[in-house]
Amino acid sequence: MPEHENAQAENDQPEPTEATAEVEADPGKPTAEDLGIHLPEDPREAIDLLLAEVAKARAEAAGYLDDLKRVAADFDNYRKRTAKENATLLDRAAERVVERILPVLDSFDAAVKVEAKTEGEQSILAGMINTREQLLKVLGEEGLEVIPTVGEPFDPNVHEAVGAPPGSTNYVVAEELRRGYRLKDRVIRAALVMLEAGE
């Protein structure tokens, strides 16, 4: 072949387009066949097909995203419910322990009312008062509160009356016979009280 014909043949070769240059530059990039898409020869049909595939992929992605959001919301609800149940269990356990300690507090209350006559008795009484206060302080840090009584208006939600003067509907607590307690705003034992007529 003459030299000028050879040069002409080289000039007739199509120059690589951007698309072919990209494919050559990135041979690991998947083709339509790799993705299971068989493109028709007609460019318009190929574009329509690709647009349909993109729309289908977006719809599937939106469905997966909705599923993921639903699972995340379910898990968040489960986590909150479990935390609430655990808190309730801890509160109930604390309440049971405190209820078992109440007779001990009652014993301290009765003991500190005894009048000390000797120096030794005074020393013992001071130790008991100190121990009772320490115990009440520790229980108070866990939410235990003494229900107010003497001088307070009678409240059947927190006071248990053992006697009231007749002919009155307005009562005030005159004497506390046994202390009552709340644990985190829940009455675990009403105060046992004597009433007098209020003003």
Side-chain angles (χ1 to χ4, degrees), residues 113 147-154 158-165 171-180 190-197:
K113 286 178 183 173
I147 294 171
T149 53
V150 177
E152 293 289 318
F154 173 66
V158 295
H159 300 137
E160 182 183 340
V162 294
Y171 296 106
V172 173
V173 176
E175 184 183 351
E176 179 183 86
L177 304 176
R178 186 190 65 200
R179 272 185 169 181
L192 196 63
V193 296
M194 290 284 291
L195 302 179
E196 62 184 7

Side-chain angles (χ1 to χ4, degrees), residues 22-45:
E22 263 184 47
V23 171
E24 286 170 11
D26 191 1
K29 199 170 188 180
T31 64
E33 281 82 24
D34 294 338
L35 297 173
I37 303 171
H38 301 291
L39 293 176
E41 294 294 325
D42 182 14
R44 286 190 183 281
E45 288 180 17

Side-chain angles (χ1 to χ4, degrees), residues 76-96:
D76 192 45
N77 290 338
Y78 165 77
R79 185 182 55 76
K80 287 176 182 173
R81 186 174 61 251
T82 303
K84 188 177 179 181
E85 287 170 0
N86 286 342
T88 301
L89 284 173
L90 286 172
D91 286 347
R92 294 289 177 261
E95 191 174 314
R96 281 196 300 274

